[in-house]
Amino acid sequence: ASDGHWDRGVPVGGGDRGDPPSDFDGSGQCYLTDNVDGNSDVDGGSTTLTSPAMDATGGEAILSYARWFSNTAGGSPNEDTMVVEISNNNGSTWQNLETVGPGGAEVSGGWYEKQFVINDLFTTPSSQVRVRFTANDTGSGSVVEAGVDAVRITVLNCEDAPDCPADLAAPFGTLDFSDVVAFLGAFASSDSAADLAPPFGTFDFSDVVAFLASFGSGCP
């Protein structure tokens, strides 16, 4: 690309012309295409952001990330795409995860969190998994802005799963109101003890449903 290369920093664009006004996960920073306010976006080609190698071995590996893409401003909107790819061999070959755009519901900005089970993509996930994000401006005049945040791989195995995830407070082995209080406290403080259901790392109603299901089933 002739302009709009990837930067990492605190978003300064203010949300106009399709760029993110803030990061996704609250850390304050994220990756953006040309973190400059005003008339600056991806122009004249493509710009690619590639992760370092990540370890996806040892169980069920889940890739998650948040992405932002906008191509609806400018004289020729809805002509460009953002492509997300994954590699299981340190970048020697790549497989498409998703192509965002040129049209659709997620091409006018906004953070969207995505998850993929790596074991569904590769028979044996490796310790050299990479993911890359390519924002393209190959059309005739759309304003292309992209962002990436909260990229991580979470590996789950049987040892990670407690026998009774609802048993959070003494007396252990018995489910009662103290476990409900403990769950609510953990949920409110974003403690991992309350992170019982995908998307892991996010505390939402799915965790409440998982807790109630475990509480209703009782401890073995």
Side-chain angles (χ1 to χ4, degrees):
S2 59
D3 190 17
H5 302 113
W6 288 98
D7 297 326
R8 182 175 186 269
V10 178
V12 299
D16 57 339
R17 299 182 78 253
D19 48 10
S22 62
D23 69 306
F24 169 76
D25 62 8
S27 66
Q29 299 192 51
C30 60
Y31 288 93
L32 310 108
T33 49
D34 203 3
N35 190 21
V36 176
D37 195 11
N39 185 18
S40 180
D41 64 289
V42 182
D43 286 320
S46 302
T47 180
T48 300
L49 174 69
T50 306
S51 78
M54 299 180 284
D55 190 353
T57 63
E60 183 176 72
I62 300 172
L63 168 68
S64 59
Y65 57 82
R67 58 157 169 78
W68 176 292
F69 181 67
S70 175
N71 73 351
T72 56
S76 301
N78 299 108
E79 290 192 355
D80 295 297
T81 62
M82 179 179 184
V83 178
V84 187
E85 299 167 288
I86 189 171
S87 171
N88 198 42
N89 53 17
N90 204 32
S92 295
T93 59
W94 294 91
Q95 178 174 324
N96 182 277
L97 281 176
E98 57 172 343
T99 298
V100 189
E106 299 180 2
V107 299
S108 56
W111 286 109
Y112 292 91
E113 188 174 24
K114 301 296 176 177
Q115 288 191 338
F116 298 88
V117 178
I118 298 176
N119 305 66
D120 292 343
L121 304 171
F122 306 108
T123 303
T124 305
S126 77
S127 61
Q128 296 184 318
V129 172
R130 291 178 182 262
V131 60
R132 69 184 183 186
F133 305 84
T134 302
N136 302 289
D137 178 37
T138 56
S140 56
S142 60
V143 175
V144 175
E145 296 281 8
V148 172
D149 202 6
V151 179
R152 62 181 177 269
I153 288 178
T154 304
V155 179
L156 308 176
N157 58 55
C158 293
E159 295 178 358
D160 294 332
D163 292 335
C164 188
D167 191 13
L168 299 176
F172 295 106
T174 301
L175 296 179
D176 56 24
F177 188 66
S178 62
D179 298 297
V180 177
V181 173
F183 172 78
L184 293 175
F187 188 91
S189 61
S190 297
D191 188 292
S192 60
D195 192 12
L196 302 180
F200 295 106
T202 301
F203 295 84
D204 56 21
F205 189 64
S206 63
D207 298 300
V208 178
V209 172
F211 173 78
L212 293 176
S214 176
F215 190 92
S217 299
C219 289

